[in-house]
Amino acid sequence: MKVWNRYHTPSTIDEALQLLADYNGAARVVAGGTDLLIELREGARPPQEALVDITFIPELISVHQSNDHVLIGAAVTHDQITKSPLLNNHARCLVESCGVVGGPQVRNVGTIGGNVAHALPAGDGTISLVALDSEAEIILSGERQWVPIADMFVGPGKSLIDPTRDLLLGFRFKVQAGKSASAFERIMRPQGVALPIMGCAVSITLDDSSTIFEQVRICVAPTGPVPSRLSEIEDVLLGQEASEERIEAAISSAYDTVRPRTSKYRATADYRREVIPVLLRRTLHTAISRARQGHRD
Amino acid sequence: MTELILTVNHQHFSLDVPESRTLAEVLRLDLGLTGTKIGCEEAECGICTVLVDGIPVDSCLFPAFKGYGKHILTIEGLAQNGHLHPVQDNFIKHGAVQCGFCSPGLIMTSVALIDACPNPTDGDIKTALKDTYCRCTGYSSVIQAIKSAASEMRGKAALPVNEPVVEDTERIVGKSVPPYEVRDKVTGKARYTDDYVFPNMLFARTLRSRYPHARIVNIDTSAAEKLGGVHAVLTYKDVPGENLHGLVRRDWPVLCEDVVRYVGDAVAIVAADTPEIAAKAIALIDVEYDPLPVVSDPEYAHDPNAPHVHPGGNLLKHIKVRHGDIEKGFAEADVIVEREYRTPIVEHAFLEPECAIGVPEGVEGHDKLTVYVGSQIPYQDREQIAQAMGIVPDQIRVRGTLIGGGFGGKEDIAGQIHVAMLARVTGRPVKMLYTRQESLIFHPKRHATIIRIKTGAKRSGELVAVQAELYGDAGAYASLSDKVMTRATTHATGPYVVPNAKIDCYAMYTNNPPAGAFRGFGVTQSAFAVEQNMDILAEQIGIDPMEFRRRNAQRVGSITATGQELRESVGLVQTLDHVYDDMRQNGTLQWSWRDGHKAYGWGVGSAYKNTGLGGGAPDKAIAEVEAFEDGSVEVRTSSADMGQGLAHVLAQCVAEEFTLPYERVRVLLSDTDLTPDGGPTTASRQTFVSGNAARLAASTLREAFTRTAAEHLDYPPSELRYEEGLLHYNGDHVEFGDIVRWMKASGIMPKARHEYWAPQTRPLGEGGDMHFAFSYATQAALVEVDIETGEVHVLKVVSSTDVGRAINPLSLQGQIEGGIVMALGNTISEAFIVEDGIPWTSTLSRYKMPSIKHTPEIITRLVEDRVSSGPYGAKGVGEIPSICTAPAISNAVYNATGVRIYSIPIDQDALLRAIKNGHEEVHTTWSDVR
Ligand SMILES: Cc1cc2nc3c(=O)[nH]c(=O)nc-3n(C[C@H](O)[C@H](O)[C@H](O)COP(=O)(O)OP(=O)(O)OC[C@H]3O[C@@H](n4cnc5c(N)ncnc54)[C@H](O)[C@@H]3O)c2cc1C
Ligand code: FES
Ligand code: FES
């Protein structure tokens, strides 16, 4: 079935923006197409006059470090992320989460930018970017700017940008000093749509003695319409000893602030409430031991 | 249009194609490279995988222009100068190819894996192939094939083929010869229906009901007819003959006239120049409906106040088994267990969606109206087409093509009648390919079943009574419901001696998708209940569950609940012994243990399954064998090979009878003009009936050979000896081809035909032999349950199967492994969800069949308790492996966690909540999470 007419492969950002402007709403950005083309085929979106494929723009497909930031182009594929030594070193949670998206065929074309622009409440790559306290670079209404990752999500399936006019260019996050590490885990069910029942990404920094949480960032999703941090638990842990007891105490003291919903054919609220502490324990435990072992990942 | 520059299989192309093309379309439609298959167009199944600059991608979702300037490698480009790539070669050697529809995708994904990772572990393979599905093999052979190919590519030896041990072999029977046409399947040459293209061909689509139950007020096709490129728009008015079809009962409209009974019912059909125009045209057809109340579950359907799905009411059939004296039986029981179990609607998910092509008489060398289709029952297709077309069957030819998996789901009419009608009206070839999404909503599925079962036993461990009530959801049309639910009923005592039984089954019409044949044919459902009740009883009595089964097992001389005395070939006890041996480690068997937050448990299940139609139905097959001057022999029958390997079974039987090399036997299947009727490919019957027909036809021809040769050589027939395609006499020999020439010269056709009639059976209720043979199996599953998350993993399945005789051990093992993994899907992941008649499962992304990640370690043991009337002692094997897996897994989950699962697929959500809340039973499942 024909769901688009023209297919463009611009090689610069300006060219891409120009194409979008020329089509005046009748063209849409596509990266790997693993979300978009399926939506078009299922009729969830009307057929597009044109698709503007941004994966041929060199700037958007690179991963590199610049001073104290790591930069990831929006069109970097999940596969590229899992194989990047830089990200394996500084963003293990992202590597782990992109490593479980779909199967290899999907990871070979699907991109981190597409994952964020698709704005699901629990996109796997997305929640790791949130835990890494990333920023996104976008061109919004013609203006190029950096925004905190949290600002990218407006509602379920709705992001800040309009892919018929705007562009998501990439992400950056600060390289953490000292004893830092991150981890990701998710719970799936073998039935139905391949969306996680619950995913959890954590990114921590311990003090020099490897005992105290200097920094804790946690994203557990879906716990709301958009991916967000579990600041209540983060706050309780901050400055505390990185011990099992403290983690348990934090979970139980802040647990009532987490209110997952029942979603049809995925999970009951009760089930989600049962597994959130499990995921928190497992990921924090992994991150702590990674941080202590000194290798950042 | 823009020029598309690509390199495909090392050849440079510059193509003028629409920018809207996907890579798969360019390959299949513009370049004619039909080796790349399409299974879903959702990036779910992975069988469309090709390599783009060495990287595997789903070509169905890859815009062609994304590949601009890149190098594409497809299955056709793998073999070099006629030499298979090691991956192709090892897929053949290790039995990793059945229907072959997935093979191109699996092979391409594997090639990329080995390139990136020359020595892959099981884990690497499971990661790389996670989203490349195979519905037939169960993946164990695939894993072994990949490791073996990788080893060869590293310059090391190939890995040994894991074959089950067989008792003894004949010259060819009992040996794992490679399946027929397998080379074509691994090189992309094999043609399935959608791979056929005729000049001037039109493309058809079907308009289906949007309502589960509604009156049709008006159908307006005028706008569709006016659309440019549309050649025909047909409705019920255009059905030339009877507007009904159906395998057992003709209740299913070819095109609905006044009422639609399920979402998916066909209302109109269109033929147009392109599939896009056809799709546009069906959208332009305006149907006015008046919605009717919906019957959405079988128990409600039985309520006298429920609306009627068919004028005669909702009860399709009440099936009864009465044996002994049920009251007396329960009065003798010391322990009685009564429980209710539920099994869901299950989808076949064969990887090849339905496709049919109609070619009118006089077009492209077709001397009659011809329908190409991958069908399980060509002769019945022909009859049903004829009935609807109002012509005699002889005016129609059904040509079976390769089938990309069937499992029972390709027995009913899909597009066969529609393409015949459209071809007649337009005078042009017409192809009707269903999309995956259409296939999902349209075709008959496994019956969702509610089973209330009460089992009584004495303290001594002797079963005394079984009483059961089953409600089977037959959906909107009868299909094979009558037969399927009969099997569920007659097998509801399990493979045990139960002196007193009373079983009632109600097959009910509803407005859900029709239910029909599905590997296991109703017995999967009752076994889920029977085998869990067995474990509950064993626990209450305090006896080992294996011992309990053993004590009550059917043996030679036992009487079944339908009053049949089993006179031979009852290998159940041996299967129990095998499994018991294989479960024990270092001599001891531990049923359950804990390790951190993981709970482990073993569970067992046993089963039996009839071979053949039984119940008094005439069960016959005709086969024809012809010899040629080049020394080859052809065997012909219309039976279908949907990947289960019938073709090589027939070839092996013929080669055996003729003492010919296997390679010299050709097999022609499924052509109503060229092959005699083999009957339906169902009920695990083909090896038995068509195998016998082929064997006996071959032996008749061989006798004729001997007579001619004896006369010609003037040598006593008793001293003529056949060996490897030669006839030896008196120290000398002649070629086969010579005898063929002699026969022809003396006016004898070198051809024989045998009509094989299976032993007579008797209808249910009359006692005596309801079936002529039963296969038996026992399986044990080892599960791991994460008690913090409820996640269930099946780590290992130990199986033993009594197949009578293994004609081809490797392919038999493939049937067993594939059957087990399919049943594992039924237990862990699969359910087709319908909400008030509206399918929620409308895409493949909503229906998860097991991927390679779910494949457990599988041990296959065989019992060869021969049945005297079977070919070389063989009985059916297609279904038996799929029957006891679900209860084995459920029993294992109970042993691991103390929570019993009454409804499948197992819902980790409900299981975890039960574990946390100290509940011992889970009665809900995934579809209850809302
Ligand atoms: C079989 C399968 C399994 C999957 N499993 C998972 C999973 O486990 N976890 C998960 O999180 N996701 C999963 N997905 C979803 C999907 O693969 C990911 O979300 C992926 O990251 C999307 O990226 P893409 O490049 O393919 O996006 P596309 O489909 O190309 O785009 C998605 C959306 O973002 C817009 N867009 C993309 N890039 C830009 C840009 N640079 N600027 C502006 N707009 C842009 C598009 O217009 C579109 O609206 C799965 C998908 C499939 C098919
Ligand atoms: S993934 Fe392409 S056809 Fe299924
Ligand atoms: S052989 Fe894999 S789907 Fe049939």
Side-chain angles (χ1 to χ4, degrees):
Chain A
M1 278 308 297
K2 209 161 115 171
V3 285
W4 70 87
N5 265 328
R6 306 295 310 272
Y7 198 87
H8 298 281
T9 50
S11 52
T12 66
I13 293 172
D14 287 346
E15 214 185 309
L17 284 173
Q18 192 58 52
L19 279 162
L20 291 174
D22 291 348
Y23 278 101
N24 191 21
R28 192 178 177 95
V29 174
V30 67
T34 59
D35 278 319
L36 179 61
L37 301 189
I38 287 171
E39 286 179 348
L40 292 173
R41 281 212 180 123
E42 287 177 356
R45 275 180 201 287
Q48 302 287 312
E49 176 51 30
L51 294 180
V52 176
D53 183 336
I54 46 97
T55 63
F56 290 75
I57 304 172
E59 262 183 277
L60 302 198
I61 52 176
S62 94
V63 179
H64 63 275
Q65 185 166 359
S66 169
N67 301 324
D68 56 349
H69 277 102
V70 172
L71 289 104
I72 308 171
V76 168
T77 64
H78 295 296
D79 185 63
Q80 243 180 302
I81 288 175
T82 58
K83 290 180 181 148
S84 154
L86 187 62
L87 295 175
N88 271 283
N89 211 11
H90 295 294
R92 187 66 177 270
C93 62
L94 186 65
V95 168
E96 288 175 331
S97 59
C98 293
V100 296
V101 169
Q105 292 94 326
V106 166
R107 292 197 292 275
N108 285 338
V109 295
T111 66
I112 185 68
N115 199 265
V116 170
H118 195 50
L120 288 179
D124 283 309
T126 300
I127 71 169
S128 289
L129 287 176
V130 172
L132 290 167
D133 201 23
S134 312
E135 292 173 287
E137 190 181 17
I138 56 177
I139 298 179
L140 180 65
S141 313
E143 201 185 318
R144 190 163 174 156
Q145 52 189 289
W146 285 100
V147 298
I149 187 84
D151 293 359
M152 282 299 291
F153 311 110
V154 178
K158 225 176 134 18
S159 85
L160 186 62
I161 55 163
D162 170 4
T164 68
R165 306 183 184 277
D166 307 324
L167 277 182
L168 172 55
L169 302 179
F171 309 94
R172 70 175 179 199
F173 59 85
K174 271 218 176 80
V175 175
Q176 297 298 312
K179 302 197 172 204
S180 299
S182 66
F184 167 89
E185 262 195 56
R186 69 173 185 179
I187 290 176
M188 298 288 281
R189 65 158 64 238
Q191 306 96 2
V193 184
L195 287 173
I197 285 177
M198 196 55 73
C200 175
V202 301
S203 156
I204 61 160
T205 304
L206 301 181
D207 72 343
D208 286 343
S209 67
S210 289
T211 50
I212 306 291
F213 282 120
E214 273 190 348
Q215 172 88 268
V216 185
R217 300 199 210 91
I218 300 173
C219 181
V220 174
T223 50
V226 296
S228 58
R229 301 247 303 268
L230 271 190
S231 48
E232 291 83 357
I233 296 187
E234 291 178 1
D235 290 347
V236 180
L237 286 174
L238 211 60
Q240 297 287 326
E241 201 185 319
S243 67
E244 227 159 85
E245 302 78 64
R246 287 294 164 191
I247 292 172
E248 287 310 316
I251 290 173
S252 48
S253 74
Y255 186 54
D256 284 342
T257 59
V258 190
R259 299 201 183 283
R261 288 187 318 124
T262 292
S263 32
K264 189 169 160 187
Y265 304 149
R266 285 181 53 211
T268 60
D270 284 349
Y271 180 78
R272 285 181 158 149
R273 287 176 61 80
E274 286 290 349
V275 296
I276 288 171
V278 175
L279 284 176
L280 283 169
R281 266 177 227 128
R282 290 182 185 178
T283 49
L284 283 169
H285 183 83
T286 308
I288 292 168
S289 71
R290 282 175 182 167
R292 284 189 181 144
Q293 277 163 26
H295 52 75
R296 305 174 160 282
D297 37 81
Chain B
M1 300 256 191
T2 319
E3 194 184 38
L4 174 63
I5 295 180
L6 286 175
T7 307
V8 179
N9 301 333
H10 315 290
Q11 204 183 333
H12 193 70
F13 288 94
S14 159
L15 302 165
D16 195 13
V17 296
E19 287 175 33
S20 59
R21 284 274 205 252
T22 60
L23 183 54
E25 286 167 338
V26 166
L27 294 170
R28 290 184 56 85
L29 306 177
D30 301 316
L31 298 177
L33 293 172
T34 54
T36 299
K37 303 297 178 207
I38 301 295
C40 70
E41 298 192 288
E42 293 180 26
E44 284 290 325
C45 75
I47 65 168
C48 64
T49 300
V50 302
L51 308 189
V52 175
D53 286 346
I55 291 168
V57 303
D58 292 322
S59 63
C60 73
L61 205 76
F62 195 86
F65 280 79
K66 204 186 206 5
Y68 192 96
K70 306 216 153 120
H71 184 193
I72 317 296
L73 187 66
T74 73
I75 191 74
E76 290 93 343
L78 268 192
Q80 293 295 327
N81 316 318
H83 293 293
L84 295 182
H85 185 281
V87 173
Q88 293 171 309
D89 193 38
N90 279 283
F91 264 60
I92 297 179
K93 277 194 201 134
H94 292 272
V97 182
Q98 290 186 27
C99 80
F101 202 72
C102 68
S103 305
L106 276 176
I107 290 172
M108 295 315 292
T109 316
S110 310
V111 166
L113 165 66
I114 299 174
D115 280 347
C117 174
N119 191 5
T121 61
D122 282 23
D124 295 330
I125 295 170
K126 288 187 172 189
T127 301
L129 270 70
K130 172 185 169 271
D131 274 4
T132 313
Y133 285 92
C134 170
R135 190 59 157 165
C136 300
T137 61
Y139 305 105
S140 299
S141 52
V142 172
I143 295 173
Q144 185 75 357
I146 295 171
K147 291 209 280 199
S148 180
S151 173
E152 277 187 16
M153 289 168 75
R154 294 194 310 275
K156 302 237 161 63
L159 301 192
V161 175
N162 288 332
E163 265 188 88
V165 178
V166 294
E167 275 173 13
D168 62 77
T169 59
E170 312 285 334
R171 214 177 49 86
I172 291 174
V173 162
K175 294 193 181 148
S176 299
V177 296
Y180 204 66
E181 289 181 314
V182 71
R183 206 183 153 92
D184 287 351
K185 289 177 179 174
V186 299
T187 52
K189 284 206 195 80
R191 289 208 296 168
Y192 302 80
T193 315
D194 186 34
D195 302 333
Y196 287 73
V197 175
F198 295 97
N200 253 334
M201 191 165 76
L202 299 174
F203 298 86
R205 290 296 303 262
T206 308
L207 175 67
R208 299 185 181 278
S209 166
R210 278 184 293 127
Y211 292 92
H213 199 193
R215 201 169 300 292
I216 297 177
V217 181
N218 186 43
I219 307 174
D220 180 358
T221 57
S222 54
E225 280 159 25
K226 283 191 208 114
L227 186 69
V230 170
H231 294 262
V233 182
L234 308 182
T235 65
Y236 68 92
K237 292 183 195 136
D238 306 296
V239 180
E242 192 187 2
N243 186 13
L244 286 173
H245 65 85
L247 283 167
V248 175
R249 195 184 284 203
R250 268 208 282 281
D251 63 352
W252 195 340
V254 175
L255 290 167
C256 295
E257 177 177 351
D258 47 354
V259 184
V260 290
R261 296 187 178 83
Y262 82 106
V263 172
D265 238 342
V267 177
I269 47 176
V270 169
D273 286 332
T274 66
E276 286 79 25
I277 300 174
K280 228 180 245 172
I282 57 167
L284 288 174
I285 300 172
D286 189 17
V287 185
E288 198 185 318
Y289 293 101
D290 184 6
L292 293 168
V294 173
V295 181
S296 58
D297 94 85
E299 277 190 296
Y300 171 59
H302 207 189
D303 184 321
N305 298 318
H308 284 183
V309 177
H310 287 272
N314 297 336
L315 181 64
L316 196 157
K317 184 132 186 185
H318 175 190
I319 303 142
K320 297 180 213 176
V321 168
R322 299 287 182 268
H323 183 55
D325 178 341
I326 195 71
E327 319 244 295
K328 185 172 139 274
F330 281 114
E332 287 172 10
D334 298 311
V335 184
I336 295 172
V337 165
E338 189 172 3
R339 296 288 191 279
E340 180 179 301
Y341 299 86
R342 282 168 190 262
T343 65
I345 300 178
V346 183
E347 154 68 24
H348 304 79
F350 34 70
L351 283 176
E352 179 210 23
E354 298 88 338
C355 184
I357 303 173
V359 185
E361 175 187 343
V363 171
E364 293 295 318
H366 292 76
D367 59 0
K368 21 173 116 159
L369 175 60
T370 302
V371 173
Y372 292 79
V373 62
S375 161
Q376 290 184 233
I377 324 187
Y379 272 84
Q380 244 156 315
D381 281 358
R382 185 176 75 155
E383 216 171 288
Q384 299 200 70
I385 299 167
Q387 195 87 22
M389 297 294 289
I391 54 182
V392 295
D394 257 354
Q395 287 178 275
I396 300 164
R397 177 174 179 187
V398 173
R399 291 189 62 176
T401 52
L402 278 178
I403 308 178
F407 315 112
K410 288 177 180 167
E411 295 192 29
D412 298 271
I413 287 289
Q416 291 93 318
I417 298 174
H418 293 159
V419 293
M421 287 168 60
L422 290 166
R424 263 273 152 107
V425 168
T426 60
R428 290 167 64 170
V430 180
K431 179 188 278 183
M432 170 100 72
L433 169 67
Y434 289 177
T435 62
R436 168 61 59 186
Q437 299 71 32
E438 185 175 15
S439 170
L440 280 170
I441 62 165
F442 151 76
H443 73 244
K445 319 219 173 291
R446 176 175 284 155
H447 296 72
T449 308
I450 303 163
I451 306 140
R452 287 189 200 97
I453 181 164
K454 181 169 149 188
T455 314
K458 290 187 185 165
R459 209 102 347 262
S460 61
E462 186 189 332
L463 280 174
V464 285
V466 169
Q467 183 170 1
E469 185 181 66
L470 294 86
Y471 275 90
D473 185 348
Y477 298 105
S479 178
L480 286 157
S481 287
D482 175 341
K483 312 284 176 205
V484 173
M485 292 323 292
T486 300
R487 233 50 90 225
T489 316
T490 57
H491 286 65
T493 55
Y496 309 109
V497 179
V498 180
N500 308 290
K502 176 172 185 281
I503 301 154
D504 291 272
C505 173
Y506 304 93
M508 303 303 303
Y509 281 121
T510 66
N511 294 114
N512 291 333
F518 195 140
R519 189 184 212 172
F521 220 76
V523 187
T524 39
Q525 289 96 311
S526 39
F528 176 64
V530 169
E531 291 298 303
Q532 289 211 76
N533 258 24
M534 288 295 285
D535 262 35
I536 300 173
L537 268 176
E539 188 180 7
Q540 293 195 0
I541 296 171
I543 180 174
D544 175 86
M546 297 290 266
E547 177 52 29
F548 185 44
R549 284 177 174 80
R550 200 171 203 291
R551 206 168 287 182
N552 293 286
Q554 290 178 355
R555 292 170 163 83
V556 170
S558 300
I559 310 281
T560 70
T562 65
Q564 170 166 2
E565 186 189 340
L566 302 169
R567 290 184 299 275
E568 60 166 356
S569 187
V570 186
L572 177 60
V573 171
Q574 253 179 293
T575 67
L576 280 160
D577 291 346
H578 275 168
V579 168
Y580 195 58
D581 281 348
D582 288 345
M583 281 165 78
R584 280 181 300 180
Q585 277 169 342
N586 314 324
T588 56
L589 170 57
Q590 200 178 344
W591 285 94
S592 66
W593 65 96
R594 284 279 164 100
D595 186 0
H597 56 91
K598 300 285 173 65
Y600 296 86
W602 278 104
V604 286
S606 294
Y608 73 140
K609 174 72 184 60
N610 58 293
T611 298
L613 304 176
D619 202 350
K620 66 160 189 181
I622 311 170
E624 206 167 66
V625 174
E626 181 171 354
F628 297 87
E629 292 177 25
D630 64 1
S632 68
V633 171
E634 183 172 83
V635 53
R636 300 188 281 260
T637 172
S638 76
S639 323
D641 191 335
M642 44 188 169
Q644 86 279 33
L646 178 70
H648 63 247
V649 167
L650 298 179
Q652 281 182 273
C653 291
V654 170
E656 189 70 58
E657 287 304 312
F658 265 105
T659 50
L660 262 185
Y662 170 73
E663 300 72 33
R664 284 224 228 149
V665 184
R666 281 192 307 280
V667 184
L668 182 65
L669 296 177
S670 294
D671 183 326
T672 57
D673 268 21
L674 300 180
T675 63
D677 195 355
T681 299
T682 190
S684 312
R685 65 185 280 280
Q686 287 297 12
T687 292
F688 194 99
V689 284
S690 293
N692 264 331
R695 182 177 67 90
L696 295 166
S699 87
T700 308
L701 184 57
R702 176 186 151 138
E703 280 160 26
F705 257 61
T706 310
R707 277 195 301 277
T708 302
E711 221 163 275
H712 204 93
L713 299 167
D714 197 15
Y715 207 75
S718 56
E719 287 173 39
L720 298 176
R721 202 163 41 79
Y722 292 87
E723 215 177 284
E724 293 304 318
L726 300 172
L727 180 76
H728 295 264
Y729 68 102
N730 198 20
D732 205 347
H733 66 261
V734 288
E735 297 274 344
F736 246 59
D738 293 331
I739 313 176
V740 174
R741 271 184 285 276
W742 298 339
M743 285 174 93
K744 284 186 172 167
S746 46
I748 306 168
M749 280 304 289
K751 201 153 94 159
R753 192 181 164 97
H754 189 92
E755 181 171 311
Y756 173 76
W757 285 80
Q760 178 85 43
T761 58
R762 298 170 60 117
L764 174 60
E766 291 187 4
D769 289 355
M770 189 170 167
H771 293 289
F772 51 74
F774 293 95
S775 301
Y776 291 84
T778 298
Q779 292 174 10
L782 173 63
V783 303
E784 174 193 272
V785 182
D786 185 325
I787 51 172
E788 289 181 349
T789 66
E791 290 165 292
V792 177
H793 293 283
V794 181
L795 304 179
K796 187 167 179 176
V797 175
V798 177
S799 75
S800 176
T801 315
D802 171 21
V803 298
R805 181 77 190 269
I807 291 189
N808 186 321
L810 188 59
S811 114
L812 187 64
Q813 177 169 270
Q815 285 293 300
I816 293 172
E817 291 172 347
I820 287 172
V821 171
M822 192 176 244
L824 183 148
N826 194 184
T827 323
I828 298 290
S829 62
E830 299 180 35
F832 187 94
I833 300 181
V834 186
E835 298 169 339
D836 293 326
I838 314 250
W840 176 82
T841 313
S842 53
T843 60
L844 197 63
S845 64
R846 292 180 168 190
Y847 194 87
K848 289 282 181 287
M849 63 186 117
S851 79
I852 198 165
K853 281 209 127 161
H854 295 108
T855 284
E857 181 192 350
I858 298 174
I859 310 279
T860 306
R861 289 241 243 155
L862 301 179
V863 173
E864 296 180 274
D865 197 335
R866 296 180 194 182
V867 57
S868 51
S869 50
Y872 309 98
K875 48 193 181 184
V877 66
E879 301 175 280
I880 184 72
S882 286
I883 296 173
C884 42
T885 320
I889 293 172
S890 305
N891 283 332
V893 168
Y894 174 79
N895 289 333
T897 64
V899 179
R900 190 161 285 287
I901 304 293
Y902 291 90
S903 185
I904 42 176
I906 298 172
D907 178 23
Q908 70 197 46
D909 190 313
L911 177 60
L912 182 71
R913 284 180 284 125
I915 293 172
K916 294 288 169 191
N917 299 326
H919 295 159
E920 288 172 6
E921 301 190 347
V922 170
H923 290 275
T924 59
T925 181
W926 164 49
S927 56
D928 299 309
V929 174
R930 336 181 158 200

